[in-house]
Amino acid sequence: MLHSVGIVGTGSYTPEKVLTNADLEKMVDTNDEWIVNRTGIRERHIADDKTPVSELCYQAAVKALEDAKVAAEEIELVIVATVTPDFAFPATAALVADRLGAKNAAAFDLSAACTGFIYGVTTAAQFVATGVYRTVLVIGAETLSKILNWEDRSTCVLFGDGAGAAVIQPVEEGYGFKSYELGADGSGGHLLAMLGGGSRNPATPETLQKKMHTLSMAGSEVFKFAVRIMGETALNVIEKAGLQKNDIDLFIPHQANSRIIDASVRRLGIDSGKVFVNLDRYGNMSGASIPVALDEAARGGRLKYGDNLLMVGFGAGLTWGGTVLKWSKR
Ligand code: COA
């Protein structure tokens, strides 16, 4: 017998320091008008030199646990979705579990870039649906500022740092997750990547000199992929949930670029008033974008008991994923 599973608490955290488009104008050859017109981004939060991603994870997790009224000892699994872990190993999830006092939890990191939170909640929900675990903490967190080439105007203006967390537990029958879809196509892996520092290109003075430890991206290819996959994935999960487009009360898309969101929403035919957008204040926080938006939507009263929530992500891998859930929090 499978349990109904849902999100019973959310939390988010972004570092204090804000970097505006005006600040970027002093760093690279760019301007506020270009950034706003091409991306919709006005400012982003940036972690300071002493702040690793695990710190952002911890802050978001504390709020999510409080919101869910769950004690750290109840957590049986911690999943951290990130491509900017504290270290290659040990897993950031293990460090966060320790800091939280989640003594009874297994812990692992998950690498699906901007789709990481969707991969994370989908994985978590399977453990809870089958009764293997009762309480799973999923965190999407990123400090992309630490792997950006701050001399490359085509990428450094796009991203920001942050973390969002969700507590996954059994919920009232008929509520919670209704459908999932996950996908990957490694043939597009080179389109958005950090190529240095792994086993293919271990760190050497040469990899450093070639800036292989920073993010590289083929922007227009990723753009086309994003618009196509966002619409397709959304339609698939709506259908798998047995719903129609009009049944969706809130759509939280991955917050990469307002033009990607607008084009996908137009294709989908969802009322733009039902789409949650906060990328103007945060930029693209990769795996943290969807959970931070979810937390803001939940705390801001945009999600009511019984609402049908659609979330869709896409990103490096290439990866994509979507889910529909019936909101179970009162
Ligand atoms: N400021 C000013 N000019 C810039 C700039 C910046 N920050 N970045 C690039 N430009 C310039 C380019 O050099 C180019 O100039 P040129 O025509 O003289 O060569 C011009 O602007 C147009 O560049 P282009 O790359 O064609 O712009 P675009 O309309 O495709 O927008 C992106 C670029 C990156 C905003 C867009 O491709 C995009 O959003 N892609 C998806 C990225 C993404 O979301 N990635 C994460 C996925 S999870």
Side-chain angles (χ1 to χ4, degrees):
M1 156 73 182
L2 294 180
H3 304 284
S4 289
V5 181
I7 292 175
V8 299
T10 60
S12 62
Y13 179 78
T14 50
E16 250 169 61
K17 185 182 169 195
V18 173
L19 191 70
T20 64
N21 291 350
D23 295 329
L24 281 163
E25 285 179 10
K26 296 179 199 131
M27 296 162 66
V28 285
D29 180 14
T30 190
N31 57 78
D32 177 59
E33 193 190 350
W34 191 96
I35 302 174
V36 172
N37 287 343
R38 303 283 179 123
T39 72
I41 300 163
R42 293 181 185 276
E43 56 189 39
R44 65 291 286 146
H45 291 243
I46 302 289
D48 64 30
D49 291 347
K50 294 194 185 70
T51 305
V53 82
S54 61
E55 172 65 23
L56 310 191
C57 291
Y58 172 76
Q59 299 293 346
V62 166
K63 293 181 187 171
L65 292 174
E66 243 172 56
D67 186 40
K69 299 185 179 63
V70 161
E73 295 77 17
E74 292 175 56
I75 307 169
E76 290 166 291
L77 173 64
V78 177
I79 301 174
V80 172
T82 188
V83 292
T84 48
D86 281 25
F87 311 108
F89 66 90
T92 298
L95 305 178
V96 174
D98 177 55
R99 177 112 187 260
L100 287 169
K103 296 185 180 67
N104 303 310
F108 65 85
D109 289 359
L110 187 159
S111 175
C114 306
T115 323
F117 183 72
I118 303 293
Y119 265 72
V121 292
T122 302
T123 305
Q126 312 316 307
F127 280 109
V128 179
T130 49
V132 174
Y133 295 132
R134 193 184 136 70
T135 305
V136 181
L137 174 66
V138 180
I139 307 168
E142 222 68 83
T143 47
L144 284 176
S145 67
K146 300 192 189 248
I147 61 157
L148 291 176
N149 175 357
W150 287 100
E151 290 166 6
D152 175 10
R153 67 176 182 175
S154 68
T155 53
C156 76
V157 304
L158 301 175
F159 300 97
D161 300 338
V167 179
I168 314 293
Q169 275 190 340
V171 295
E172 192 179 337
E173 192 59 40
Y175 286 73
F177 292 98
K178 293 286 178 190
S179 64
Y180 315 93
E181 178 162 300
L182 298 178
D185 175 9
S187 72
H190 60 286
L191 297 175
L192 180 48
M194 185 177 86
L195 298 172
S199 60
R200 197 170 306 193
N201 303 302
T204 63
E206 198 194 346
T207 62
L208 267 179
Q209 189 257 324
K210 289 182 172 166
K211 296 207 181 294
M212 289 171 75
H213 303 273
T214 61
L215 178 149
S216 62
M217 180 176 71
S220 61
E221 276 93 336
V222 173
F223 190 96
K224 281 178 238 152
F225 154 75
V227 172
R228 176 178 61 78
I229 209 71
M230 185 114 99
E232 279 176 23
T233 308
L235 286 178
N236 289 346
V237 287
I238 291 170
E239 192 186 325
K240 281 186 197 171
L243 298 174
Q244 309 285 329
K245 283 186 272 192
N246 290 344
D247 298 325
I248 298 301
D249 298 294
L250 188 68
F251 175 27
I252 300 182
H254 172 46
Q255 310 279 315
N257 181 316
S258 54
R259 287 190 296 143
I260 294 175
I261 295 176
D262 292 346
S264 317
V265 166
R266 260 198 313 275
R267 281 190 187 192
L268 263 171
I270 286 184
D271 172 6
S272 61
K274 293 179 173 178
V275 183
F276 193 88
V277 177
N278 64 3
L279 65 84
D280 51 322
R281 289 179 287 127
Y282 298 117
N284 179 349
M285 295 185 288
S286 184
S289 281
I290 293 178
V292 169
L294 173 65
D295 184 48
E296 288 196 341
R299 287 174 193 258
R302 289 285 299 271
L303 269 172
K304 293 179 297 297
Y305 175 73
D307 275 358
N308 290 312
L309 167 67
L310 165 68
M311 299 190 283
V312 180
F314 57 84
L318 300 170
T319 56
W320 59 92
T323 182
V324 168
L325 68 159
K326 198 174 171 72
W327 197 245
S328 53
K329 277 195 82 186
R330 288 178 191 268

